[in-house]
Amino acid sequence: MARLYVRSDLDPSDRDAHVAVLVVDPDGTPGERALDRLGSYCYEGDGVFFLLPTDGWAERTLDGGRLTVSIAVYPYALEQVRVDPADFPVRSSVDPDAAVVLTAEVAVPAPPVRFSEATAVFTGAPGTPLEALLAAGEDWPMVLADGPAEEEPVN
């Protein structure tokens, strides 16, 4: 099962911002396996792999003291890594053409925190502590931007 964390000091462009960090098991749920495979579809840069926002994104909602992160990916990007989009019937609230491949929740530290625009995804075996993944430095995380903004109604 994917684990979600909230950590500061991970975004090099904004050290004070908190980053949502997902840890997925490459042999875990279909969504975890899909995210692990999407790493090979990303672009390299600055010690991370970037999933372009035109391919997928992270949708975050903060309700009370809980953060929910849903990863939405367009079917063509899933097909590029041999993942069947039909395995993911839940659709993005922002763009119903995108499939939600994984959703996770975590309690957010108080007081309310300011979040980075990035969500990081690490791959690790079950039980591997996040600190160990961060310290290893050999496996780059996949970074996803926030989702596209919902369109304003036209009058």
Side-chain angles (χ1 to χ4, degrees), residues 89-117:
V90 176
R91 295 292 166 213
S92 164
S93 62
V94 175
D95 184 347
D97 288 337
V100 172
V101 298
L102 188 133
T103 298
E105 285 188 3
V106 68
V108 176
V113 297
R114 185 174 52 81
F115 284 94
S116 165
E117 293 181 11

Side-chain angles (χ1 to χ4, degrees), residues 25-101:
D25 176 0
D27 298 318
T29 66
E32 290 177 284
R33 293 191 308 267
L35 283 175
D36 179 53
R37 285 184 169 183
L38 278 168
S40 67
Y41 183 69
C42 293
Y43 293 90
E44 291 183 35
D46 297 328
V48 299
F49 295 110
F50 293 103
L51 184 64
L52 292 179
T54 54
D55 296 326
W57 59 87
E59 297 176 3
R60 296 184 304 213
T61 55
L62 189 57
D63 186 17
R66 303 227 28 107
L67 172 68
T68 303
V69 174
S70 296
I71 306 299
V73 182
Y74 284 115
Y76 64 81
L78 292 170
E79 291 166 349
Q80 295 302 309
V81 294
R82 296 181 310 275
V83 172
D84 187 352
D87 291 342
F88 304 100
V90 176
R91 295 292 166 213
S92 164
S93 62
V94 175
D95 184 347
D97 288 337
V100 172
V101 298

Side-chain angles (χ1 to χ4, degrees), residues 2-11 14-24 35 48 57-62 66-71 102-109 113-122 130 134 141-146:
R3 297 170 283 153
L4 180 60
Y5 301 89
V6 174
R7 291 285 311 268
S8 61
D9 202 34
L10 291 181
D11 184 342
D14 188 356
R15 293 285 182 190
D16 293 331
H18 285 69
V19 177
V21 181
L22 273 169
V23 178
V24 298
L35 283 175
V48 299
W57 59 87
E59 297 176 3
R60 296 184 304 213
T61 55
L62 189 57
R66 303 227 28 107
L67 172 68
T68 303
V69 174
S70 296
I71 306 299
L102 188 133
T103 298
E105 285 188 3
V106 68
V108 176
V113 297
R114 185 174 52 81
F115 284 94
S116 165
E117 293 181 11
T119 296
V121 178
F122 284 89
L130 176 60
L134 294 172
M142 176 173 40
V143 175
L144 298 100
D146 288 343

